[in-house]
Amino acid sequence: MQPTLQPTAQSRAKQSAPPSEPHPALKAIATFEGCKGVAALAAMLGLLSLLHHDIRHLAIALIGHFGLDPMAHYPSVFLHYADILNDENRRNIVFIGVAYISLRFIESVGLWRNRPWATWLGAVSGAIYVPIEIRHLILHPSFINAAVLIGNIAVVAYLVSQIWRKRHAQNISP
């Protein structure tokens, strides 16, 4: 009797089975990533509306509207960044922003649909920020900065645990 090269009914069912329903925590992470994409899109639309305007003039008018001293610390920082945002820099920011928004929406949809690649994408893209958030917490210790760091570490840890769990389950099943 020769071995059959045809897959068994059980292995065909396993291969064609749709991914399981995502855990509520995964849906919450997907929703959060989608919200980050929406927030970035709103900021990008605001920046696009300023493309052909004199931002320094708008910043001075805004500072004057609130009766602030342009030589004070925060208004001068605001004016400094207004000077940096010339048309060329704004175009580059828009390009980077579109890439970021696309990444957030792709990750969100993938996590919502419980796709393994989205779990990897979420874990890697979240882990990239951890060293930056640690540095920020060291330089500017606050409850909010600590909460952001802890929240991001929790999300990355959860996604890594999902990757490990799925990989471990694949190695055990016959």
Side-chain angles (χ1 to χ4, degrees), residues 131-148:
I132 297 166
E133 290 168 353
I134 290 171
R135 182 175 185 274
H136 189 70
L137 180 62
I138 290 169
L139 295 176
H140 307 283
S142 73
F143 175 75
I144 293 189
N145 292 341
V148 168

Side-chain angles (χ1 to χ4, degrees), residues 29-102:
I29 294 169
T31 302
F32 182 66
E33 293 301 325
C35 288
K36 287 185 344 188
V38 168
L41 179 61
M44 193 60 49
L45 292 174
L47 185 62
L48 282 172
S49 71
L50 298 174
L51 257 181
H52 298 291
H53 291 85
D54 182 3
I55 292 186
R56 180 165 181 80
H57 177 73
L58 292 172
I60 290 171
L62 187 63
I63 289 170
H65 177 75
F66 287 107
L68 301 174
D69 176 16
M71 300 307 288
H73 177 69
Y74 291 113
S76 66
V77 169
F78 184 59
L79 288 172
H80 169 74
Y81 284 108
D83 288 338
I84 291 174
L85 284 176
N86 59 38
D87 279 347
E88 189 59 36
N89 285 343
R90 282 182 268 176
R91 286 186 186 96
N92 291 337
I93 291 170
V94 167
F95 176 74
I96 292 167
V98 167
Y100 177 83
I101 293 164
S102 301

Side-chain angles (χ1 to χ4, degrees), residues 101-138:
I101 293 164
S102 301
L103 181 69
R104 292 295 132 223
F105 286 149
I106 290 168
E107 179 184 348
S108 178
V109 170
L111 287 172
W112 191 269
R113 294 182 174 180
N114 202 18
R115 301 293 193 248
W117 58 264
T119 310
W120 276 97
L121 179 62
V124 171
S125 69
I128 287 171
Y129 293 109
V130 171
I132 297 166
E133 290 168 353
I134 290 171
R135 182 175 185 274
H136 189 70
L137 180 62
I138 290 169

